[in-house]
Amino acid sequence: PVVSKTWTAVDYARSATFAEALVVADAVLEDGATKAGMQRARAAMAHWPGIEKAAPVIEHADGRSESVLETLGRLACIEGDLPVPVSNAWVGRRRPEFRVDHLWRWHWVVAEADGALKYRDQDDPAAVVAEEKERQWILERKLGLTVIRYGWNLAYGDRTQLAERFRTVLVDNPPRSK
């Protein structure tokens, strides 16, 4: 290796789109890099052309995001000026029962990113769908959460529409304390 993954992510942010750079930054954080390390790399590149593009990438990067799809779902919130959800949060009545892709805690709303690999790489895709439906029933009926699902077509192809869907669900579920 010539440079670290941290250095590479910050350098890449100089020329990439915000979406591309955020996907890479999330991945390197998830793989053990730190925001402090990214800030040090950014400082070392202070006079490099385009380095100002790295600051918002570092600010919004989240190592709890586990896939490109989840990062793009969160990006819809950033671009749509919405509250940014907690990535891969545990929810449950008295103990952690389910890990959801995104959680707006005070709104009691979760979002699930439905990537095709979750179904395609299984021996019995129908069982995966049945389990998913049961999980959603528990999240909604037993835990009182509102669930919104999205896939690649919205997260990659039309984040504006995805942000509007998130906005609608958040407005319909105003913040509450309990």
Side-chain angles (χ1 to χ4, degrees), residues 100 102 104 108-112 114 132 135-141 144-150 169 173:
V100 296
H102 306 292
W104 289 272
W108 289 50
V109 170
V110 300
E112 295 284 70
D114 292 328
E132 188 175 81
R135 170 187 159 104
Q136 184 163 339
W137 188 89
I138 293 169
L139 289 170
E140 292 177 340
R141 301 298 175 202
L145 299 166
T146 297
V147 178
I148 181 170
R149 310 191 81 81
Y150 68 93
V169 172
N173 293 274

Side-chain angles (χ1 to χ4, degrees), residues 112-134:
E112 295 284 70
D114 292 328
L117 291 179
K118 154 169 51 174
Y119 310 105
R120 193 176 300 143
D121 290 347
Q122 301 296 322
D123 291 334
D124 185 1
V128 174
V129 172
E131 182 180 306
E132 188 175 81
K133 288 180 179 184
E134 179 66 14

Side-chain angles (χ1 to χ4, degrees), residues 65-110:
S65 183
E66 296 178 339
S67 71
V68 173
L69 184 57
E70 290 176 13
T71 296
L72 295 177
R74 197 177 79 255
L75 179 57
C77 296
I78 295 165
E79 291 174 340
D81 198 28
L82 295 168
V84 177
V86 176
S87 298
N88 287 294
W90 285 94
V91 296
R93 188 159 279 181
R94 291 189 177 87
R95 61 178 173 76
E97 295 177 63
F98 300 103
R99 194 166 59 127
V100 296
D101 295 329
H102 306 292
L103 170 67
W104 289 272
R105 180 180 179 195
W106 302 113
H107 292 269
W108 289 50
V109 170
V110 300

Side-chain angles (χ1 to χ4, degrees), residues 18-28 57 67-69 71-72 75:
F18 183 69
E20 294 164 342
L22 189 63
V23 165
V24 171
D26 279 4
V28 301
V57 171
S67 71
V68 173
L69 184 57
T71 296
L72 295 177
L75 179 57

